[in-house]
Amino acid sequence: MIKIVVAGFKGRMGATATKMVIEHERFELVGVLDPHAQEKNLSEISDYQELNVPVFKEKETLVKSVVADAWIDFTIPKVAYENTYFALENKIAPVVGTTGFTEEQVASLIKLSKAQKTGGLIAPNFAIGAVLMMEFATKAVQYFPDVEIIELHHDNKLDAPSGTAVKTAEMMEEVRAKKAQGNPDEKETIKGARGADYEGMRIHSVRLPGLIAHQQVQFGGTGEGLTIRHDSYDRASFMSGVALGCEKVVELKELVYGLENLL
Ligand code: NAP
């Protein structure tokens, strides 16, 4: 059995991950973390009356009280780096879905994981279809360097652009012929109209109620266009990736960035 803790267990993704861990035959949920939780045990929540899983408000108390192999993190961008660092320091393999990490933060966590000989995964998107969307986009950009990313999420999302959009742009940038798109003389009459600029590629962030997580990578060529689109209609779409991550990280000796590294 892989012993797992879930940080952010009351959030939209954390609650879905908690349910997945409870239902998974090879996982044991040993603790959950939320700084504002009122409960002391998951059994106080009506869906989980049969369980005996301690609820922690502080990560320091958690590591003193339970032994865990993996740390699922679906919290907020502001605390995810600190949480991941802490998990690695305590030799608990992090499986992080929280987005908003900078390149420098990812690099420093990989360095720490190697020093600690502890596996880990940071995945901006755990949906298999999204991983394929990023790979197909990386293939297409070699033939169509003119590309714009349009990512669409629910209106409670804290970071923009999404981690998936940034990761897609990073992957495409490695193989794309350098190019600044659009007319060199173009002027925005309203600031932001052309979206964010990542190495000459534009990223547009849409936030609307009703959406979950969606992304369109749109390419243009002479007389033709190609659109690659992925839609997560339900947060359950991310859970097979999270489960795979938990099973794999405990065998790794360093942290990897992107689910594609484990497929
Ligand atoms: P959410 O509903 O706002 O949940 C975040 C939760 O984290 C809240 O319950 C919050 O508790 C809790 N939290 C805040 N500080 C914490 C701390 N120090 N320790 C533990 N928990 C803490 O957000 P969400 O929609 O679930 O999304 C969470 C993250 O996952 C976001 O970064 C989002 O972009 C990302 N995401 C990733 C994927 C993927 O596939 N990788 C997919 C979807 C979403 P309080 O409300 O009590 O402060």
Side-chain angles (χ1 to χ4, degrees):
M1 289 293 253
I2 300 173
K3 295 183 188 326
I4 297 177
V5 295
V6 179
F9 80 103
K10 297 192 109 173
R12 286 173 290 260
M13 286 297 291
T16 315
T18 299
K19 190 163 176 288
M20 179 279 289
V21 173
I22 291 167
E23 289 170 359
H24 199 289
E25 57 183 12
R26 287 191 299 285
F27 297 163
E28 181 187 348
L29 185 66
V30 293
V32 292
L33 179 70
D34 181 308
H36 308 117
Q38 299 300 316
E39 306 83 2
K40 295 223 165 353
N41 197 289
L42 264 195
S43 60
E44 293 163 47
I45 297 173
S46 59
D47 281 356
Y48 300 130
Q49 282 171 12
E50 311 295 310
L51 296 178
N52 177 16
V53 177
V55 175
F56 298 94
K57 285 186 170 191
E58 287 156 3
K59 53 186 184 309
E60 293 77 13
T61 324
L62 183 150
V63 294
K64 279 185 200 142
S65 314
V66 298
V67 175
D69 305 306
W71 171 301
I72 296 177
D73 199 289
F74 281 107
T75 57
I76 54 173
K78 211 167 69 182
V79 300
Y81 174 74
E82 188 189 314
N83 276 1
T84 310
Y85 201 96
F86 182 82
L88 287 169
E89 276 184 324
N90 287 281
K91 291 188 176 278
I92 305 174
V95 176
V96 183
T98 318
T99 49
F101 285 89
T102 63
E103 268 180 54
E104 293 73 31
Q105 287 178 330
V106 173
S108 102
L109 291 165
I110 291 174
K111 195 170 161 205
L112 175 65
S113 72
K114 286 180 181 166
Q116 292 289 89
K117 295 191 173 45
T118 303
L121 167 67
I122 297 176
N125 204 313
F126 279 105
I128 305 294
V131 173
L132 291 174
M133 177 253 304
M134 289 186 254
E135 295 207 339
F136 296 159
T138 307
K139 175 93 179 160
V141 82
Q142 296 168 42
Y143 304 94
F144 295 100
D146 287 272
V147 55
E148 308 225 352
I149 299 173
I150 302 146
E151 56 94 343
L152 311 91
H153 283 81
H154 60 88
D155 58 344
N156 287 310
K157 186 165 175 59
L158 290 173
D159 52 323
S162 71
T164 306
V166 175
K167 175 81 172 151
T168 310
E170 286 170 357
M171 286 170 70
M172 290 198 296
E173 202 262 324
E174 280 182 24
V175 293
R176 173 178 174 264
K178 291 247 172 298
K179 180 165 193 187
Q181 285 169 211
N183 189 325
D185 295 328
E186 81 181 0
K187 279 200 178 55
E188 287 180 331
T189 52
I190 300 179
K191 195 171 175 301
R194 291 287 291 118
D197 184 338
Y198 184 93
E199 301 289 338
M201 293 176 270
R202 297 291 174 166
I203 307 178
H204 309 269
S205 298
V206 178
R207 297 290 176 264
L208 286 172
L211 294 173
I212 301 267
H214 316 259
Q215 180 168 295
Q216 187 163 312
V217 189
Q218 195 164 339
F219 300 88
T222 309
E224 63 178 324
L226 170 68
T227 300
I228 301 169
R229 181 171 168 119
H230 176 259
D231 296 276
S232 276
Y233 299 116
D234 190 301
R235 292 188 172 83
S237 64
F238 304 113
M239 289 307 131
S240 53
V242 177
L244 177 82
C246 292
E247 293 193 275
K248 298 270 184 171
V249 287
V250 292
E251 290 160 14
L252 297 177
K253 292 280 175 269
E254 66 181 85
L255 182 141
V256 295
Y257 173 49
L259 186 66
E260 65 279 10
N261 295 302
L262 300 185
L263 294 176

